[in-house]
Each structure stands twice: as C-alpha cells, then as structure tokens.
C-alpha cells in the first residue's frame, strides 16, 4: 500500500486556523487483513417457511408493529386473496416453528392475519393492480385454488372469467360452518374478487361437468377438485346413509336435517369435524370414526380439541366395516379397530385388525359418498387453440393455504406463457430476495430479546358456543395485535436496527444513500465479525473472505 | 418510533456525520473505536484530542496521517492531563472558549503512569474531559499488568501460576475524592447510557472524567466477535458496574443489569482460562462486596436497561 501525500488542511478544524495539516487514514485498505467477511442476506423466517400460503409474515408484522395497518393489509392482499378466511380456518402451521416460542410463546400469527383481513374488509383496502398482462383467461371450477388463480391473473391485468355452478361461487369456503368462518367474512372476500373485475358465469345446470369452450380466450385453466375419498363400507347405498358434503350444506340452511338423534360420521378430514360440531349444535349425539391414528388424521388440532369440548366423540384407529339394517331402519354399524401398516405396498394404509369387531348403535351414518356433483369440469379442447392449464384444488379447509399457493403458482405459469417472460412462481418472501437458509433461534443474539408472554387463544364459553352458530373465537384487540407485531423477532430480516453500524470497530458499515439498507465497505472491514455476532436476528452472516475485498 | 435497538439517543447520535474515519490501525474487534466514534459525534468537530502513549497513539496512524478527524496531540506517557490543561489554557488565552479539549488515554496512562498529572488536573478542576479507555492492562507494549488489571487475570507479568493477586484500583472513589464535577463509567454494550453520559459531560464544564470499559481481543485472549458480548457480560456480572458521581458526592448506579454468570464471562476469555473453582468463588465474593459498597454509596437506580 502506498500512502498519498498529506493534503494541507484536509482534516477538520481548518476554520480555527489552529491546525494546518491533518490527512486522513482512509487510503489504508485494512480490509486486506481479514480471513472472514460479513455479508448481508435476509434469511427465511420459519413462520413463512411453514406457511402453506407462502405469506410474507415478517413484512406485515413490521407494519403492524408501527400501527401501519393499511400497508400491512395491502402487503398481505397483494399475495393472498383470502386473508380473513385463512385467519379463521387455517390450522396455522406457521406458529409451530415460531422462534418466539423460546421466549414467551409463539406469535399469534393467525389472529394477526385475521385482524388484517378484517381491516381490509372494513377499510376497503384493495390489492395493487398491475397491467403487465393482457388477454382473456377462462377458469373452470370455483374452488379456492381456482379463485386464487383468478385473483392473481386479474392482479396482473388479465380479463378473467370463472365458470361456476349456478348462483355464484358456492363451492368450497361457504361450506365451512359459520362458527368457524363467519359468513360476512367469506362473502366480503368473494365480493372483493368481483370488485377487482373477475367475472363469474354460470356454466349451465349440469355444470361444471359440461365441457366449456375456449373460443376467444388466450388460455384456459381447469381446477380439479380432489374427490373426497370414499370409505370401503358395505351397504353404503342404504337410505339412512347420508352424504357428508350434502349434509354440511343442509346444516347451513338449517333444513332437511336427519330425524334420528344418534349419528356416526366416518371420515378423517376436517369437514367431518365441521359437520359433527354443527350437528351437536342441533342437538344430535355424534361420534366420528377415523381410520387413522390421531397423529395422522388431517384434523386441525385446535378444532379437534374444540369438538371434544363441545361433546363430539372421536374414535381414532377405528373403521366402519358394515351397515346392519332392518328394511329402512338402520340398526347399527359393525366397526373394527385398525392399525397403520407402513410400507411400499400399503403406503400408510390403516388395516382392520381381525377379531376387534364391535357393534355400534346409531340412527344414521354420514360419510363421503361418490357423487357426480362433486366432479370436476373439463375442457372441450377442440373449440380453440389456446393452451389449457391444470391445477389441483380441494375443498378441505385445512388445505386452503396450499390452494392459495397452487393458484398463485399456476397464475404465474399462465402469465409466463402468455407474456413470454420467464416468470418463476415465487412467493412474496422469495421475491424479497431472501436466502435459502431458515433463521433459527440459535442464530440470534439472545441478549437482545426478553421473555415476553404472548396472548392465549380465547374461545367463547362452551355452553354459550353450543347455543348458536356464531364465531367460537374471541378475537384480539387492536393493542394486543400491535403487541404481537413488536413481540415478533423479525427472524432473518434486517430491520435497520443499527447494531451492526453502531458496533463496527472499523467504520465499515454505512447506510445506503436511499436509507433502505446497510452496506459494507469491505476495503476497511477487518473481519472481526462483531456485526454478525451482535445482529439480533441473523440478517448478516460470515463467510470466508476474499470474494469481494477491494482495495481502491 | 425508532427501529434502533437501544433508543432515540443512540439513533439520533448515529445519524450525525462521522468525524472519525476508517483505515486506522486497531486490531480487529478493538473496543476503542466504536466508543471514540460516538464520542466525537457527540463533541463535534471543534475538539482537540490529547493522547499519551497508549494503543490509540499507534492506532490513529503515523504522522502526518490521522484517523481521528480532529486535531490530535500525542504527548508523553505521564503527561496527558497536564498537556490537555495546557492546550485548554492556550485556547483560553487566545480567546477561543468553545473548543472541547479531550484526553484519550489508556488505563496505564491513567491509573499508573499518568496518575500524578491526572490528580493535579482534577484537583485544579481543569476544564477538560478526560476519557480513559480501560482495557485492563498495558496492551500495546505486550500485555503487562496495570493497576486496572482485575483480580485473578492473566497478563504477561502476572502469569497463570501467579495471576494478579490485587483487585482493580477503584479509580471512581479516588476521583470522587477530588470532588470533580462529573465522573462516569461507560460500556459500549450500553450505548444509550453511555451517550447520555457523554451529553451530560459535554453540557458541564470543569474536570469531567469518563471511565470506559474497553474490550481487547488481543490482551484478553478472546475472539474478536465476542467483544460487545464481553462488554455486556462485564456489566451484568458487576465486574464493571455502570454508575456516575456528581461533584464527588452524589453517586448513582445508572444501569441495574440482568445478572449473568461470572463463569460465562470468564469462559470466553483466555486471560481467565487458569481460574479454578475456588478462585472463581473468591472473585465472585470480591465483586459482591464491591457492588454492595457501590450500592451503599449510590441511591436506588433510577434507570435500568441499556
Ligand atoms: S418471531 Fe416473527 S418472524 Fe420469527 S417465526 Fe415468529 S412470527 Fe415469524
Ligand atoms: S463489525 Fe465491521 S469490521 Fe467487524 S466484521 Fe463487521 S464490518 Fe467488518
Ligand atoms: S444488526 Fe440490525 S441493522 Fe444490522 S443486519 Fe442485523 S437487523 Fe440489520
């Protein structure tokens, strides 16, 4: 290194005329000393990583912390058509790996999502509409994934038509009972789809089974609803055996309910619990038979606990084998215990254990019956040259988050196809440019976090709950929501907290001119790793030096 | 609303222009620099820094280069306070009253070699700010013990077989005996507290002294990345309590930290590697006693946290 000639008066204090010559040391590239170098990279927050809808939870929690609900709601809506709905029905796998658990309990992420979703409804917050895409897309099916695809295509600027059974988007979310998902919420979120310009068309009385035409469209999308699995029960055709989906629909309207008091439901999806909980509210005595073990059933743990509290009996590892009847009257069920056999042949199939059969007396059995009504639409490919895309869809409320993701993904594919742009389907978190690593609590500096207990989930009193179909949940107040924003660690996400700049012993960390991020002057950084150590939340990391050491 | 970890004072001071520059010669992880950067941001460009022989005398750069960004005077080891008093007198005589004259000295130049000059200037209540960055030994000459080296610590002159048998000199009590207007201990791990003390000192006149606990990866035989963590643990274990003394009589503990294990503080420093359980207990007992003495002198803490 060569030191430049000192410049007279370059240093400070020239104004007093006391000191004539001080030259700075900034010609000295002390960065060449290091063997480790720090670098900034936001890492995945475990919550977002676990969120099936791919929500950028940290981003909205940061707005929430500052009470900027408008921006929080908008950032949520830009990537999620159903925040309030998910805020009610999602089994919130995001909260399971939440790093806050270590110091006072997971962030009530789902409650925040619901709060923001309701805020958007109440304050009429709308997502940002772009105009980069042009063309007409027709979507057959109106399940959650179909609607999600419609939403994201519409946000890109496409003209989108959804073909549905008569009377609007009936399928899916509306079948979730109101005590889990208040009607006004789901209606408002459907309404927003119309208000951003998505068109709904009835596709005929037999639809969506009838083929639809691609004429005049640039692309078509078929969103196939997963058929509910039918259980192998002998005698399913008996009139005292009722269809789960149909009955769920009836409980919603409060008409055509079964006359018998004792009901058995065979099923292992959340809709079995939904129905059971609806029926206990109507005064029935309900037992759910689930072939799987408790850990394998796709019931949300929370709903299971609430159902039990409300008086629903759930028998795990039990299958209904046969129906005993006497003419029109159902006498009882022959059930058997099951066990899971793992292996390439069976998958995770529960098999019946011989000799464990018992009789169970009921008035009705409810299970998913094969039904053409539940079937999927198909395209008449001969009617046009437009490409047709496919996307799985499901009415299972537990997988609404995945449906949102699937819709977003296929929308990105369609957009890429129609616009010719390479358009990887990215989650909002990925779009922010985060690294692949997940920020774990062990990567944090614990000195910056205190134990701070979170709110407990609150439900209406059991007795009160059973008297009506109103929301079972007590929502958090605005101050409590805001506190969740500040309790959140912002895992792996630089919040410009200033620690790295403050502590750097080499004056190497400077705020970028636009103030949006910090930058490292590698030519001075000696690689002490103080910044990495003192970052509270793993947003700055170390690697072997030499990649980018510059000497000016 | 601030994103800053520590608070609004830290944030607002950080936003001020940097006076000190990069390119200085400190070891990676040196504790002097982040403190000095903030000190200068608080005191501003109209400042002269006087430094005796010490790490920073080397770190600043070879003449005529200087990283500090303000006039910098390098004086003899034993004369820092006297030299600063002279600089102050010269400014006063030339009718320039608004320049801050700051001493930046290590513990050797303060507790030991510069002690008589310090005592003299304090006794005369010279209008200067004396900042001692205390890394608890003569680091740049090869880690020899000073009277600021804590009980039980290794240095090259207090080897593991015979670690330092005396406790750290209680400079706060000595300075209180001089009845100076202001004395305060500071730590980089508690910047909000430190900056409040800098601002307080700046607003006063007369002899003001800042005693800064300065992490030293080289002399403490520790990983440079732990430098702030060590500063924090020193306060939490009460090995280096944060307090201030006004006019030599009003004592105040300014940070009542969450307690931490002394063993944790020792574990990550090579200079304490030889410590046996009985020695640890002895040191703990000593620190407890010191804390009790300090608490007795001080009223109940007013502020807590960093
Ligand atoms: S603390 Fe915040 S960012 Fe981290 S996992 Fe929990 S909610 Fe996500
Ligand atoms: S604190 Fe400064 S010197 Fe140390 S590694 Fe980070 S940028 Fe480099
Ligand atoms: S220390 Fe603070 S400012 Fe620096 S990277 Fe971490 S979060 Fe960002």
């Amino acid at each position: 290194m060569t030191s430049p000639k000192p410049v007279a008066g370059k240093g400070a204090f020239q104004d007093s005329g006391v000191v004539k010559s001080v030259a700075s040391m900034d010609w000295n590239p002390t960065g060449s000393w290091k063997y480790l170098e720090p670098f900034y990279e936001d890492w995945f927050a475990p919550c977002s990583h676990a969120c099936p809808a791919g929500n950028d939870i940290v981003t909205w929690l940061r707005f929430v912390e500052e009470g900027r609900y408008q921006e929080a709601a908008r950032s949520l809506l830009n990537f999620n058509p159903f925040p309030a709905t998910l805020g009610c029905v999602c089994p919130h796998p995001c909260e399971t790996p939440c790093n806050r658990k270590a110091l006072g309990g997971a962030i009530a992420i789902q409650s925040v999502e619901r709060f923001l979703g309701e805020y958007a409804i109440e304050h009429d917050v709308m997502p940002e509409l772009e105009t980069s895409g042009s063309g007409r897309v027709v979507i057959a099916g109106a399940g959650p994934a179909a609607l999600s695809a419609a939403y994201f295509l519409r946000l890109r600027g496409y003209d989108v038509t959804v073909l549905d059974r008569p009377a609007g988007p009936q399928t899916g979310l509306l079948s979730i009972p109101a005590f889990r998902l208040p009607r006004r919420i789901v209606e408002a979120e459907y309404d927003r789809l119309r208000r951003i310009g998505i068109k709904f068309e009835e596709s005929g009385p037999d639809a969506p089974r009838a083929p639809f035409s691609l004429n005049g469209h640039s692309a078509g999308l078929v969103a196939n609803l997963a058929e509910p699995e039918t259980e192998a029960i002998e005698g399913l055709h008996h009139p005292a055996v009722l269809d789960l989906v149909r009955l769920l629909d009836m409980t919603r309207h409060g008409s055509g309910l079964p006359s018998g008091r004792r009901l058995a439901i065979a099923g292992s999806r959340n809709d079995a619990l939904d129905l059971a909980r609806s029926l206990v509210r109507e005064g029935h005595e309900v037992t759910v038979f689930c072939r799987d073990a408790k850990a394998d059933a796709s019931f949300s743990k929370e709903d299971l606990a609430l159902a039990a509290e409300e008086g629903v009996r759930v028998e795990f590892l039990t299958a209904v084998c046969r129906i005993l009847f006497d003419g029109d009257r159902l006498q009882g069920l022959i059930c058997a215990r099951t066990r899971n056999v793992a292996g390439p042949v069976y998958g995770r199939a529960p098999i019946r254990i011989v000799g464990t059969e018992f009789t169970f007396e009921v008035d009705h059995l409810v299970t998913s019956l094969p039904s053409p009504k539940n079937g999927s639409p198909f395209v008449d490919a001969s009617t046009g040259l437009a490409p047709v895309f496919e996307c799985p869809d499901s009415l299972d409320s537990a997988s609404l988050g995945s449906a949102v993701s699937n819709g977003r993904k296929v929308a990105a594919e369609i957009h890429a196809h129609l616009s010719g742009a390479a358009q990887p389907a990215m989650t909002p978190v990925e779009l922010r440019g985060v690294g692949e690593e997940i920020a774990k609590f062990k990567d944090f500096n614990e000195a910056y976090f205190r134990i701070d207990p979170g709110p407990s989930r609150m439900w209406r009193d059991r007795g009160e709950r059973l008297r009506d179909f109103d929301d079972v949940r007590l929502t958090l107040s605005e101050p409590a929501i805001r506190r969740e924003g500040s309790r959140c660690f912002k895992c792996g996400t630089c919040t410009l907290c200033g620690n790295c700049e403050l502590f750097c012993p080499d004056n190497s960390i400077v705020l970028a001119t636009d103030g949006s991020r910090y930058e490292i002057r590698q030519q001075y950084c000696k690689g002490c790793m103080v910044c990495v150590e003192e970052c509270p939340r793993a947003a700055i990391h170390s690697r072997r030096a030499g990649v980018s050491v510059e000497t000016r | 609303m601030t994103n800053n970890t520590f608070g609004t004072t830290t944030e607002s001071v950080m936003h001020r222009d940097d006076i000190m520059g990069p390119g200085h010669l400190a070891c990676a992880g040196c504790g002097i620099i982040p403190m000095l950067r903030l000190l200068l941001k608080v005191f501003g460009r109209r400042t002269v820094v006087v430094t005796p022989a010490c790490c920073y005398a080397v770190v600043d750069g070879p003449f005529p280069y200087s990283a500090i960004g303000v006039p910098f005077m390098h004086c003899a080891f034993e004369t820092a306070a006297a030299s600063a008093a002279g600089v102050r007198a010269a400014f006063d005589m030339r009718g320039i009253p608004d320049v801050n004259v700051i001493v930046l000295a290590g513990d050797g130049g303060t507790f030991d070699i510069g002690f008589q000059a310090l005592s003299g200037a304090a006794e005369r209540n010279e209008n200067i700010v004396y900042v001692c960055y205390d890394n608890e030994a003569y680091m740049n000459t090869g880690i020899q013990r000073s009277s600021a080296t804590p009980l039980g610590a290794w240095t090259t002159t207090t080897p593991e077989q015979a670690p330092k048998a005396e406790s750290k000199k209680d400079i706060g009590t000595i300075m209180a005996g001089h009845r100076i207007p202001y004395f305060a201990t500071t730590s980089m791990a508690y910047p909000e507290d430190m900056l409040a003390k800098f601002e307080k000192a700046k607003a006063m006149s007369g002899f003001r002294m800042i005693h800064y606990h300065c992490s030293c990866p080289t002399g403490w035989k520790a990983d440079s990345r732990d430098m702030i963590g060590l500063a924090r643990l020193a306060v939490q274990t009460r090995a280096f309590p944060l307090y201030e003394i006004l006019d030599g009589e009003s004592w105040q503990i300014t940070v009542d930290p969450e307690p931490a294990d002394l063993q944790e503080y020792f574990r990550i420093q090579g200079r304490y590697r030889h410590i046996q359980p009985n020695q640890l207990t002895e040191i703990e007992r000593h620190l407890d006693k010191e804390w009790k003495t300090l608490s007795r002198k001080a009223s109940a803490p007013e502020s807590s946290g960093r």
Side-chain angles (χ1 to χ4, degrees), chain A residues 436-509:
Chain A
E436 279 166 20
E437 303 271 350
I438 300 175
K440 299 265 173 59
F441 191 65
K442 65 166 174 53
D443 306 319
F444 296 176
N445 190 324
E446 275 190 57
Y448 295 104
F449 304 116
R450 302 275 170 282
I451 291 179
D452 189 354
S456 43
R457 244 161 240 283
M458 303 268 279
W459 314 101
R460 279 164 66 216
D461 197 55
R462 178 183 157 274
E464 200 189 307
R465 242 156 54 200
L466 283 171
R467 276 199 289 275
D468 56 34
F469 275 69
D470 291 347
D471 196 353
V472 292
R473 181 177 306 226
L474 299 173
T475 52
L476 293 180
S477 65
E478 185 268 333
I481 290 291
R482 187 153 172 180
R483 217 175 76 89
E484 291 306 278
S486 48
R487 282 204 324 123
C488 167
F489 294 147
K490 327 287 162 9
C491 304
T493 311
C494 175
T495 61
L496 299 179
C497 78
N499 281 15
C500 49
E501 182 197 1
L502 175 71
F503 293 129
C504 173
D506 283 294
N507 307 20
S508 304
I509 290 180

Side-chain angles (χ1 to χ4, degrees), chain A residues 112-230:
Chain A
V112 176
E113 187 177 26
R114 169 156 179 191
F115 175 87
L116 293 175
E118 295 220 41
Y119 184 96
I121 294 170
E122 202 178 312
H123 296 82
D124 218 5
V125 183
M126 284 289 165
E128 281 155 81
L129 276 156
E130 278 177 42
T131 48
S132 60
S134 72
R136 296 178 60 203
V137 182
V138 61
I139 298 178
L147 296 180
S148 165
Y151 182 81
F152 290 110
L153 286 165
R154 181 68 203 124
L155 294 193
R156 288 274 191 196
Y158 291 95
D159 182 327
V160 183
T161 307
V162 174
L163 302 181
D164 193 13
R165 285 191 280 183
Q170 292 285 350
T171 38
L173 307 181
L174 278 174
S175 66
I176 300 169
F179 55 84
R180 282 185 65 210
L181 177 60
R183 204 60 66 220
R184 62 178 172 83
I185 286 181
V186 62
E187 273 161 8
E189 296 206 319
Y190 274 151
D191 191 46
R192 183 165 48 225
L193 302 176
R194 284 199 192 83
R195 288 176 54 210
I196 62 170
I198 297 172
K199 290 175 224 149
F200 288 90
E201 263 178 35
E202 291 175 17
S203 53
D206 270 339
R209 256 318 192 193
F212 68 89
S213 158
L214 277 173
N215 260 342
H217 286 100
S218 351
L221 169 64
V222 177
N224 288 315
L225 281 174
E227 299 268 354
E229 207 188 323
T230 312

Side-chain angles (χ1 to χ4, degrees), chain A residues 94 133 169 189 202 213 238-239 323 375 432 549:
Chain A
C94 55
E189 296 206 319
E202 291 175 17
S213 158
H238 191 271
I323 296 163
R432 253 205 297 121
V549 177

Side-chain angles (χ1 to χ4, degrees), chain A residues 39-42 489-490 492-501 503 509 511 518 531-532 534-541, chain B residues 3 5:
Chain A
F39 67 101
Y40 288 102
E41 183 177 85
D42 278 2
F489 294 147
K490 327 287 162 9
T493 311
C494 175
T495 61
L496 299 179
C497 78
N499 281 15
C500 49
E501 182 197 1
F503 293 129
I509 290 180
L511 201 59
Y518 278 115
C531 50
V532 175
E534 293 308 312
C535 175
R537 49 186 62 82
I540 180 167
H541 320 278
Chain B
N3 280 338
T5 303

Side-chain angles (χ1 to χ4, degrees), chain A residues 45-48 57-58 61 94 97-101 106-107 109 439 444 484 487-493:
Chain A
C47 52
S48 283
I57 294 160
V58 186
L61 281 171
C94 55
C98 174
N99 283 325
R100 221 337 150 187
K101 264 192 173 165
I107 304 297
I109 301 170
F444 296 176
E484 291 306 278
R487 282 204 324 123
C488 167
F489 294 147
K490 327 287 162 9
C491 304
T493 311

Side-chain angles (χ1 to χ4, degrees), chain A residues 4 6 12-13 15 23-25 27-28 30 33 447-448 450 495 497 499 501 503 505-507 526 528 530 533-534, chain B residues 3-5 14 20-21 23-26 29-30 33 37 46 60 64-66 69 71 188 224-225 232 258 306:
Chain A
F13 216 60
D15 47 340
S24 80
M25 286 290 288
W27 49 270
N28 187 18
T30 52
W33 302 9
Y448 295 104
R450 302 275 170 282
T495 61
C497 78
N499 281 15
E501 182 197 1
F503 293 129
D506 283 294
N507 307 20
K526 292 173 190 151
C528 66
V530 161
E533 188 64 26
E534 293 308 312
Chain B
N3 280 338
N4 195 281
T5 303
M14 278 171 72
M20 190 179 174
H24 59 75
L25 307 176
C30 175
I33 311 300
R37 234 175 113 209
R46 289 185 68 75
D60 191 58
Y65 303 100
S66 170
M188 194 58 216
S224 59
R225 66 158 63 219
R232 186 163 43 234
E258 289 174 25
R306 327 188 184 91

